[in-house]
Amino acid sequence: MKFGYFDDANKEYVIQTPKTPYPWINYLGNEQFFGLISNTAGGYSFYRDARLRRLTRYRYNNVPLDNGGRYFYVHDEGDYWTPGWMPVKRDLDFYECRHGLGYTSITGERNGLRVNQLAFVPLGFNAEVYRVKVGNASDSPKRVSLFSYLEFCLWNAHDDMTNFQRNLSIGEVEIEDSVIYHKTEYRERRNHYAYYSVNRPIDGFDTDRDTFLGAFNGLDTPQVASEGKSGNSVASGWSPIASHGINLELAPGEEQSLIFMLGYVENPQEEKWESLNVINKKPAKAMIEAFATDAQVDSALADLAAYWDGLLGKYSIQSSDDKLSRMVNIWNPYQCMVTFNMSRSASYFESGIGRGMGFRDSNQDLLGFVHQIPDRARERIIDIASTQFEDGGAYHQYQPLTKQGNNEVGSGFNDDPLWLITGTAAYIKETGDYGILDEDVPFDSGRQGSATLFEHLKRSFDHVTNNLGPHGLPLIGRADWNDCLNLNCFSNEPGESFQTTTNLDGKTAESVFIAGLFVFAGPDYAELARRRGLEDEAVRAEREIENMRKITIEHGFDGDWFLRAYDYHGEKIGSRENEEGQIFIEPQGFCVMAGIGVEEGLAEKALNSVRDRLETDYGIMLQQPAYSKYYLNLGEISTYPPGYKENAGIFCHNNPWVTIAETVIGRGDRAFETYAKIAPAYLEDISEVHRMEPYVYSQMIAGRDAVREGEAKNSWLTGTAAWNYVAITQAILGIQPDYDGLRVDPCIPQAWDGYSISRSFRGAEYKIEIRNPHHVSKGVKSVTVDGKTVESNVLPVFEAGTSHEVVVELG
Ligand code: BGC
Ligand code: NOJ
């Protein structure tokens, strides 16, 4: 069952009912000012850091769900309602929500009054702009009142919802003309404030929540909206809000447009005040001026659209499969940019107060956006590497505002360092910028000296070989990619963190997954060394990689698939010898991606085992059989009820590893089948089962053992976005950035006739037509560039600004 449809021409998902299975959200903002907005206008805004600079309040886990946002109440002759249906939930004669790239437009109509609210953050601007259009679709004149509403957060989102003894006394606002300024704590150490404006005179206002709502009322029954009259309240402590009251007279057919703006201003210390206790409003006024007219809004919307066209235009496909095209051209790269901006901080499942930027997450996210914004990828790589320790280990997370490693979570996740090699190599392959390797980059933000980025990569590589276990496989540490496989934790204390508790010192537990990752990432390190003229180092690295390959086959293969790990006691995990958790997805995907066991036929066996034992209609489960009880020696993985999350859920992030692995052994049909199983556009028809947004990936889909099999959770902020993007654009469609050019090496379903790709690469345009007349999956038979036959399937780096026609025939 569907709840809307894709409007590909406008790059929008159109939701036709407010009663989606779960709030379906979108993101606003690209640089510093961000907002989350649901299809019923719920959500919140923040500046740069969702924890420390939260601008509006949002109550997670609230009832009813998603109650709180930037609302516009309409009062129409005794009747009052909200165009997004929530929070008043009055029946609407028409409802539509269009989530587009960086904007959301919601329309509601009732009794001949049509209200549209459009929200976006203009490029390079620290504010959310809302254009509200109120139209009289009836044939008689209408007199209505409009009441805007949002609730301010007292900046620190965590403190805001816990420290009531202080916070209920500190709220302060100023009101001048049509603008409400939120200035809590500005009198002391803060030099920033927020404001909410509208571009016309107002008939009333409210800044005190209790006055606006009325005692004991909720957002669904605000007194002001029901009476149609503002209270003109001035907040002092309690809960400051911003509400404008505006009376409108509309002739039949008339439409009026109002422009609201929620902005954020930081003043220099010496320019904080206009006069005693009166804040300096100059910067806010200038911002408000910039969006005083519809023409200004229209032009900023056009700029935003052009910005996205530019980003998405770097890679696009023309194919006969609409679902594939909309994933590749629009929604997957869009989600990759959102994961770049948000990491794992703020979604409807991540509360914006918990996690910092993950070391491994950020490196993997980079794989999905590096071609869109290479400069910012470069900056990101340096930021990440700057938190690395001098021994090559890594803080698991760092904080975006300070860019310092997060001490609370610490280090010891032994896969972390290797992802830096993969991220950096992807950046260099995309850009050819080897200069990044010479950048002087601190260790532990300068506390442990500094070295070139290349030296950081060497330390990453060596961190693995310096930390080997009894079989010669890498020690796992606190966990590897699977944060919940905690082999040194042995926790029996309720509430103790599985990720940061190490009760036994880990000198035995080993990870076959890290071995695979080492053999996958290692060759890029060796290659970069060679290109720096360090031939001996390259040869040494290759020896280590070859050694690991052999050890993985010797001690990491279990007959029909790769083992997962050895536990603290040296017992196998992910083996046919185990009662539960006999086979895991991660080492099958990664070892085959690394090429381990391909020649020996083991790779094919491993992938067949995945198909036979882990695959379901909804995707590939993380392991089987699910753990039915808590295992002290395994940690968090066995805490989840069977079928959810790491305990045999379909953890979407690693499904693309299997997809890519299938292309390594040339099985294009299988590759595409596994790709499409989790790609959201292909799941649109089962939205009532899947429940999350059909335009973005979710972290997890409940597995076969779960009560609610097929139901997804944790939409938006997941490494799945980057990896399924790599799987489809590089492994399947076969356009692979490489050191010396653009490699074309597709692996597709045999039935496909062909497709065309436009790819900008290092400033040049490649128009590539892939033809498959012999209906094969893999193998490039011929290549022509601008009509001339060329020998190699690695297209050269062309002069920036030029455009080239490439025809590739498979066979
Ligand atoms: C989740 C993991 C996550 C970890 C660290 C666990 O509870 O299951 O998916 O990576 O927490 O935040
Ligand atoms: C989510 C985390 O963000 C990621 O780092 C981890 O690899 C997966 N969960 C699996 O545990």
Side-chain angles (χ1 to χ4, degrees):
M1 182 181 166
K2 300 207 278 185
F3 296 83
Y5 62 93
F6 287 94
D7 178 346
D8 295 330
N10 288 309
K11 305 192 178 82
E12 292 173 335
Y13 192 79
V14 186
I15 302 168
Q16 295 167 294
T17 165
K19 296 175 196 168
T20 44
Y22 203 73
W24 285 359
I25 73 163
N26 192 15
Y27 284 84
L28 314 174
N30 302 290
E31 282 132 298
Q32 308 204 294
F33 194 108
F34 295 102
L36 284 70
I37 183 165
S38 71
N39 58 314
T40 56
Y44 60 93
S45 320
F46 63 93
Y47 173 74
R48 286 185 66 197
D49 186 315
R51 173 169 181 151
L52 299 176
R53 289 283 188 287
R54 185 79 65 97
L55 305 186
T56 62
R57 228 172 233 172
Y58 190 75
R59 294 171 183 82
Y60 277 90
N61 207 2
N62 201 1
V63 278
L65 206 59
D66 192 30
N67 196 22
R70 308 70 145 194
Y71 292 131
F72 297 95
Y73 293 90
V74 181
H75 179 99
D76 182 3
E77 297 188 17
D79 179 36
Y80 68 97
W81 53 281
T82 30
W85 186 64
M86 282 282 278
V88 177
K89 293 193 279 188
R90 204 84 75 210
D91 287 340
L92 298 173
D93 303 326
F94 174 81
Y95 162 91
E96 182 184 86
C97 167
R98 291 180 170 260
H99 284 316
L101 307 181
Y103 67 88
T104 286
S105 169
I106 299 171
T107 308
E109 185 177 319
R110 186 175 158 87
N111 292 337
L113 194 72
R114 180 172 278 230
V115 181
N116 169 262
Q117 57 179 100
L118 167 80
F120 73 111
V121 175
L123 291 173
F125 202 70
N126 287 331
E128 260 172 23
V129 172
Y130 313 93
R131 175 164 52 195
V132 179
K133 286 186 178 168
V134 185
N136 181 358
S138 77
D139 42 22
S140 39
K142 273 188 176 279
R143 283 165 166 258
V144 300
S145 315
L146 186 73
F147 300 96
S148 67
Y149 175 86
L150 57 79
E151 183 175 1
F152 289 112
C153 177
L154 309 188
W155 311 118
N156 178 325
H158 186 258
D159 188 75
D160 183 69
M161 57 175 134
T162 45
N163 192 10
F164 304 111
Q165 60 78 27
R166 169 181 163 84
N167 292 343
L168 295 178
S169 290
I170 63 174
E172 287 189 297
V173 296
E174 282 182 37
I175 303 137
E176 191 186 294
D177 302 328
S178 302
V179 190
I180 295 159
Y181 296 86
H182 175 228
K183 60 168 186 177
T184 301
E185 290 189 345
Y186 193 83
R187 61 168 60 245
E188 30 127 344
R189 292 154 298 174
R190 294 190 186 274
N191 64 347
H192 51 85
Y193 61 81
Y195 63 87
Y196 197 34
S197 64
V198 59
N199 67 338
R200 64 160 75 191
I202 53 178
D203 299 292
F205 62 85
D206 276 285
T207 64
D208 176 58
R209 194 185 70 204
D210 293 347
T211 308
F212 182 83
L213 294 180
F216 307 112
N217 289 354
L219 294 172
D220 54 338
T221 50
Q223 189 169 312
V224 162
S226 89
E227 287 174 0
K229 198 170 176 340
S230 295
N232 296 339
S233 56
V234 180
S236 176
W238 300 108
S239 294
I241 60 153
S243 171
H244 310 90
I246 297 160
N247 302 330
L248 300 168
E249 285 187 31
L250 298 158
E254 185 187 350
E255 184 185 75
Q256 293 192 26
S257 158
L258 301 92
I259 302 167
F260 294 83
M261 183 189 292
L262 169 67
Y264 172 86
V265 167
E266 270 173 16
N267 277 331
Q269 191 61 28
E270 38 329 321
E271 290 167 26
K272 271 181 77 166
W273 303 102
E274 201 170 287
S275 57
L276 184 67
N277 284 339
V278 178
I279 61 175
N280 171 6
K281 305 184 181 67
K282 252 201 221 128
K285 287 178 180 167
M287 288 170 73
I288 294 165
E289 276 292 286
F291 289 93
T293 66
D294 279 302
Q296 288 166 319
V297 172
D298 289 335
S299 125
L301 283 167
D303 290 347
L304 187 64
Y307 169 81
W308 279 108
D309 283 348
L311 293 182
L312 303 185
K314 301 271 169 76
Y315 190 120
S316 62
I317 185 174
Q318 273 182 287
S319 90
S320 51
D321 179 348
D322 288 344
K323 293 175 179 154
L324 177 64
S325 303
R326 62 177 67 114
M327 283 316 312
V328 170
N329 296 345
I330 306 169
W331 294 100
N332 197 351
Y334 181 60
Q335 187 179 2
C336 287
M337 285 299 287
V338 172
T339 61
F340 161 71
N341 282 320
M342 298 292 130
S343 189
R344 303 295 172 267
S345 70
S347 71
Y348 268 27
F349 294 86
E350 302 281 6
S351 63
I353 60 172
R355 306 216 255 161
M357 311 278 295
F359 195 96
R360 79 159 83 87
D361 291 337
S362 299
N363 275 301
Q364 291 173 83
D365 290 346
L366 200 132
L367 307 177
F369 66 76
V370 60
H371 67 295
Q372 299 189 65
I373 44 163
D375 294 346
R376 296 177 79 186
R378 188 183 209 272
E379 198 181 311
R380 180 64 58 84
I381 289 170
I382 305 284
D383 286 349
I384 300 169
S386 304
T387 66
Q388 192 176 24
F389 295 109
E390 58 177 350
D391 73 352
Y395 279 109
H396 195 48
Q397 294 176 359
Y398 70 97
Q399 294 309 126
L401 264 189
T402 61
K403 297 190 175 178
Q404 307 271 319
N406 183 343
N407 272 316
E408 280 163 42
V409 183
S411 64
F413 297 75
N414 284 348
D415 64 315
D416 272 335
L418 287 172
W419 297 108
L420 183 63
I421 298 179
T422 300
T424 307
Y427 168 76
I428 296 175
K429 288 175 186 171
E430 182 65 36
T431 59
D433 171 18
Y434 292 89
I436 192 175
L437 295 174
D438 297 318
E439 291 282 343
D440 185 49
V441 180
F443 288 112
D444 192 4
S445 306
R447 280 179 280 269
Q448 300 182 349
S450 70
T452 61
L453 180 63
F454 179 77
E455 180 63 25
H456 279 257
L457 302 191
K458 177 173 188 299
R459 307 267 173 113
S460 287
F461 185 88
D462 291 347
H463 190 265
V464 174
T465 52
N466 290 339
N467 291 283
L468 298 176
H471 298 90
L473 290 162
L475 290 173
I476 196 167
R478 284 180 163 163
D480 58 21
W481 172 88
N482 191 330
D483 273 327
C484 297
L485 197 60
N486 316 115
L487 303 184
N488 297 303
C489 181
F490 291 85
S491 174
N492 250 332
E493 265 315 301
E496 200 167 55
S497 158
F498 285 102
Q499 275 82 40
T500 59
T501 306
T502 306
N503 282 322
L504 294 177
D505 203 10
K507 293 289 179 277
T508 42
E510 297 167 295
S511 162
V512 177
F513 167 78
I514 301 182
L517 177 58
F518 181 77
V519 178
F520 176 84
D524 277 317
Y525 169 66
E527 182 64 27
L528 291 171
R530 181 161 287 128
R531 285 168 187 254
R532 287 173 80 78
L534 304 172
E535 182 60 25
D536 290 351
E537 177 60 5
V539 170
R540 174 193 78 97
E542 283 162 354
R543 227 178 13 243
E544 298 279 15
I545 296 163
E546 178 53 20
N547 193 31
M548 188 69 78
R549 201 187 68 81
K550 286 199 183 119
I551 287 173
T552 305
I553 289 180
E554 195 180 330
H555 296 295
F557 201 77
D558 198 45
D560 283 312
W561 58 82
F562 291 95
L563 281 174
R564 180 60 177 86
Y566 287 93
D567 75 4
Y568 180 82
H569 305 291
E571 302 291 337
K572 292 176 182 172
I573 297 174
S575 157
R576 58 178 68 252
E577 293 168 18
N578 299 123
E579 222 174 282
E580 302 186 319
Q582 292 179 337
I583 172 170
F584 280 67
I585 188 173
E586 306 99 305
Q588 322 311 328
F590 244 90
C591 291
V592 179
M593 278 164 74
I596 303 174
V598 173
E599 279 165 29
E600 298 86 343
L602 307 181
E604 197 179 331
K605 273 192 186 173
L607 295 181
N608 288 345
S609 301
V610 167
R611 182 194 58 206
D612 299 342
R613 290 168 182 262
L614 295 178
E615 197 161 326
T616 73
D617 290 347
Y618 301 107
I620 307 167
M621 296 176 287
L622 196 143
Q623 100 274 11
Q624 279 290 297
Y627 294 114
S628 61
K629 53 182 188 279
Y630 177 53
Y631 291 82
L632 190 63
N633 63 324
L634 300 180
E636 187 171 2
I637 189 168
S638 60
T639 66
Y640 286 110
Y644 293 107
K645 293 278 285 183
E646 281 87 343
N647 188 15
I650 296 159
F651 212 96
C652 298
H653 185 145
N654 46 37
N655 277 232
W657 299 345
V658 170
T659 301
I660 299 170
E662 289 286 1
T663 68
V664 169
I665 63 166
R667 300 201 297 199
D669 283 279
R670 285 287 300 144
F672 190 74
E673 196 184 339
T674 54
Y675 164 78
K677 268 195 178 163
I678 62 158
Y682 293 87
L683 308 179
E684 193 191 11
D685 288 335
I686 55 157
S687 288
E688 80 286 7
V689 178
H690 185 259
R691 296 189 67 217
M692 294 296 118
E693 296 90 333
Y695 39 93
V696 291
Y697 288 95
S698 294
Q699 182 201 57
M700 193 241 0
I701 299 171
R704 188 184 286 149
D705 305 278
V707 174
R708 308 179 69 148
E709 185 186 1
E711 181 188 68
K713 291 197 184 92
N714 296 17
S715 55
W716 285 94
L717 305 183
T718 162
T720 317
W723 275 111
N724 231 24
Y725 187 73
V726 171
I728 189 67
T729 59
Q730 299 192 27
I732 295 177
L733 300 174
I735 312 299
Q736 305 161 4
D738 211 336
Y739 295 107
D740 298 317
L742 201 55
R743 181 184 303 278
V744 183
D745 189 13
C747 183
I748 57 174
Q750 292 182 358
W752 284 13
D753 294 319
Y755 50 94
S756 303
I757 304 277
S758 298
R759 174 69 154 96
S760 14
F761 180 66
R762 304 197 197 171
E765 287 299 317
Y766 296 66
K767 309 258 174 231
I768 306 168
E769 193 192 327
I770 313 276
R771 295 179 186 160
N772 191 23
H774 309 290
H775 290 281
V776 297
S777 275
K778 199 177 165 99
V780 170
K781 191 165 159 230
S782 67
V783 182
T784 65
V785 176
D786 298 325
K788 289 192 207 79
T789 303
V790 297
E791 283 312 307
S792 163
N793 66 337
V794 180
L795 307 173
V797 177
F798 292 118
E799 199 184 314
T802 61
S803 177
H804 302 271
E805 308 279 332
V806 180
V807 178
V808 174
E809 190 175 307
L810 306 182

